[in-house]
Amino acid sequence: MSAYEVNFDGLVGLTHNYAGLSFGNVASTSNKNAIANPKQAALQGLDKMKALADLGFKQGVLPPQQRPCVKTLRSLGFSGNDANVLQQAAKTAPHLLAAVGSASSMWVANAATVSPSSDTANHKVHFTVANLNNKFHRAIEAPTTSNALQAIFANQQHFEHHAALPQQSIWGDEGAANHNRLCSEHGASGVEVFVYGCQKYGVQADAKYVEPTKYPARQTKEASQAVARLHQLDDNKTVFVQQNPDVIDQGVFHNDVISVSNGNVLFHHQQAFLNQAQAFNEIHHKLENLGAQFMPIEVPTAKVSVEDAVKTYLFNSQLLTKPDGNMLIVVPEESKNNPRVWHYLNELIQSGGPINEVRVFNLRESMCNGGGPACLRLRVVLNQAELDATNPQAMLTDSNYTALTAWVNSHYRDRLSEADLADPQLLIENYTALDELTKIMSLGSIYSFQS
Ligand code: SUG
């Protein structure tokens, strides 16, 4: 059955700031204390969504979360009215205020793992919300992410939702950022490739087992396997592969910083995976059984170093199939500004291969926290019936774009530092704006402040 890949982009929240919260994510730690511009960040994201929608790609939107999350601070013992809670936290535990104030839900590639109905045994689209267990500021996203996804994909005949895996490090799950899907075309049955950074059980006796030593591996094999089970995937169409621990130690905190898939193409760096040849062999055979030809496009270290990949987010790009079957690669401006990466990209689009066009976007505000074009979007493959069953107000139409842009312009600040998170007025601005957003997007009451 034919289907669309719909990219749902995360709308940047009102508290977007640089608090240096993500150890292992080089951009996040190196921009700690920089001044952020939430309004510009949200508009940059909307510009990308609009440009891709105008090119004919199906584009959706996911809402941000209520921040600072006073509810979490209360659960940690802060009390009094909301202003008191914020002030106490700012005074005695500023790191906690920063964590509950992060707008990190904007990177929706980490919101959930999604399997299309053509891959699952009960022919429903499956969503498992990511627990984001490795970082406290991200682990608190899961409940609202669940509410948002269920408000957008509400039809139980087509959609099946799974809660986040247990909040324990064995089950560390970062969602679609560590998940690739290969297929002949979006609507066909595909091979789902789960990329994990470490394994918790059964490795003590394995002399060959390696994991990163400097930075954390956020995704566990156990979590990936649990998601595959929940989604009722077929073992013959599923591959588990370990990410190269050396690249995690160089700042590749998610697999989508070093590889991206679309259709039968896996665009990746030479050093992306451990036991790469063996994994590709397995993908090749499993895909061949589905009548499709695996097409890996490998970028050699000699042309683009891992350091350049991390700085420019070349692989955190979106690969989109155009109506003529060729692919467009969407990269951040940082890729154009690096001569080696830009040279490679120009070579790539002239090579006669499937990727024959590049588009560049300014996503600087998000990039400074380690989030590129691919981090900002969650891919959901939907056939026509499933698309018809999706909340239409979550799709980026011309009128929704106008409404969302006006909404950002009227509610967002153009300057925010970590210290501003203690301002009770910022919390009120959030509640007012998000309440209005749920009406624009017809989401109902997805936030705890609304109940
Ligand atoms: O989880 N940054 C996010 C970036 C996520 C990027 N997503 C993907 N690669 N799919 C993270 O590290 C930084 C927030 C701060 O430091 O203020 C942050 O959470």
Side-chain angles (χ1 to χ4, degrees):
M1 195 187 294
S2 71
Y4 307 99
E5 177 188 87
V6 187
N7 280 273
F8 284 82
D9 276 45
L11 200 50
V12 176
L14 289 91
T15 58
H16 160 63
N17 75 100
Y18 301 113
L21 299 172
S22 278
F23 176 63
N25 166 347
V26 181
S28 157
T29 41
S30 55
N31 288 305
K32 181 172 167 58
N33 296 330
I35 303 294
N37 184 336
K39 183 180 284 186
Q40 199 171 42
L43 294 175
Q44 285 173 350
L46 278 164
D47 280 354
K48 170 169 88 79
M49 296 184 225
K50 177 73 165 86
L52 296 179
D54 285 348
L55 286 170
F57 298 107
K58 298 248 179 274
Q59 180 69 54
V61 188
L62 292 175
Q65 304 208 352
Q66 71 186 65
R67 293 289 181 267
C69 188
V70 174
K71 193 178 165 197
T72 303
L73 289 177
R74 288 187 189 283
S75 75
L76 297 172
F78 296 96
S79 58
N81 62 28
D82 285 354
N84 295 144
V85 168
L86 293 172
Q87 277 154 17
Q88 277 175 48
K91 207 165 139 201
T92 63
H95 55 287
L96 291 181
L97 180 60
V100 304
S102 177
S104 53
S105 68
M106 70 170 92
W107 299 296
V108 293
N110 308 114
T113 306
V114 186
S115 294
S117 55
S118 48
D119 292 354
T120 65
N122 67 354
H123 307 298
K124 292 189 187 188
V125 183
H126 284 245
F127 298 83
T128 295
V129 172
N131 62 21
L132 296 168
N133 181 261
N134 194 259
K135 304 276 179 262
F136 174 54
H137 71 287
R138 302 223 57 186
I140 60 175
E141 292 172 25
T144 304
T145 300
S146 270
N147 293 347
L149 290 174
Q150 293 188 47
I152 294 171
F153 305 100
N155 187 315
Q156 294 180 6
Q157 193 192 326
H158 292 294
F159 306 118
E160 189 155 333
H161 293 272
H162 306 282
L165 299 178
Q167 283 291 8
Q168 208 278 339
S169 61
I170 288 169
W171 306 109
D173 176 24
E174 302 276 319
N178 293 319
H179 177 247
N180 278 305
R181 179 172 185 266
L182 293 145
C183 54
S184 54
E185 55 178 6
H186 294 309
S189 179
V191 172
E192 298 203 13
V193 181
F194 290 82
V195 187
Y196 58 91
C198 64
Q199 185 174 341
K200 298 289 180 182
Y201 288 115
V203 287
Q204 290 74 10
D206 182 353
K208 288 206 207 106
Y209 176 74
V210 275
E211 60 177 40
T213 53
K214 184 175 171 197
Y215 291 145
R218 299 196 200 182
Q219 179 86 32
T220 68
K221 184 175 187 182
E222 287 79 2
S224 297
Q225 288 169 327
V227 173
R229 274 192 298 270
L230 287 165
H231 291 199
Q232 306 180 9
L233 301 180
D234 182 339
D235 287 348
N236 295 319
K237 299 189 284 182
T238 311
V239 174
F240 297 91
V241 51
Q242 188 175 347
Q243 187 169 342
N244 181 351
D246 287 348
V247 301
I248 295 180
D249 279 341
Q250 292 172 72
V252 182
F253 57 98
H254 288 138
N255 172 68
D256 69 2
V257 177
I258 199 115
S259 85
V260 58
S261 64
N262 181 51
N264 63 344
V265 170
L266 183 64
F267 179 58
H268 66 280
H269 191 271
Q270 183 186 351
Q271 297 182 56
F273 307 100
L274 199 65
N275 304 322
Q276 196 147 301
Q278 191 188 321
F280 284 10
N281 204 23
E282 190 179 342
I283 297 172
H284 169 79
H285 286 298
K286 290 188 169 172
L287 210 49
E288 202 169 44
N289 287 339
L290 297 175
Q293 190 65 41
F294 180 38
M295 191 185 287
I297 300 181
E298 182 157 303
V299 182
T301 308
K303 289 194 175 169
V304 176
S305 65
V306 173
E307 192 186 350
D308 278 346
V310 172
K311 278 197 185 129
T312 66
Y313 268 35
L314 166 64
F315 299 96
N316 199 259
S317 44
Q318 288 179 251
L319 276 184
L320 300 168
T321 305
K322 299 186 281 187
D324 68 4
N326 286 312
M327 296 184 195
L328 161 70
I329 184 165
V330 170
V331 297
E333 233 175 45
E334 285 74 3
S335 289
K336 187 171 184 183
N337 295 340
N338 177 305
R340 293 172 295 282
V341 169
W342 190 238
H343 178 77
Y344 173 80
L345 274 167
N346 280 291
E347 244 179 41
L348 175 72
I349 61 171
Q350 282 154 24
S351 65
I355 306 171
N356 72 347
E357 185 184 346
V358 57
R359 287 201 184 233
V360 181
F361 286 89
N362 175 1
L363 296 164
R364 174 92 37 97
E365 286 287 325
S366 168
M367 282 290 287
C368 289
N369 253 336
C375 300
L376 286 163
R377 62 96 172 93
L378 181 67
R379 289 177 285 190
V380 185
V381 171
L382 299 171
N383 62 32
Q384 191 62 53
E386 292 155 356
L387 184 59
D388 293 343
T390 301
N391 177 345
Q393 288 305 110
M395 298 303 294
L396 194 85
T397 56
D398 282 349
S399 67
N400 246 354
Y401 171 74
T402 307
L404 291 172
T405 306
W407 174 80
V408 168
N409 279 319
S410 71
H411 293 288
Y412 278 56
R413 297 188 183 186
D414 57 13
R415 190 189 149 85
L416 203 80
S417 68
E418 198 187 313
D420 294 322
L421 297 173
D423 178 1
Q425 186 55 34
L426 181 67
L427 187 67
I428 294 167
E429 290 167 21
N430 259 267
Y431 289 175
T432 309
L434 295 180
D435 201 41
E436 197 177 313
L437 181 69
T438 52
K439 294 188 179 85
I440 298 173
M441 293 183 65
S442 295
L443 295 172
S445 299
I446 57 167
Y447 299 113
S448 62
F449 76 83
Q450 294 177 307
S451 55

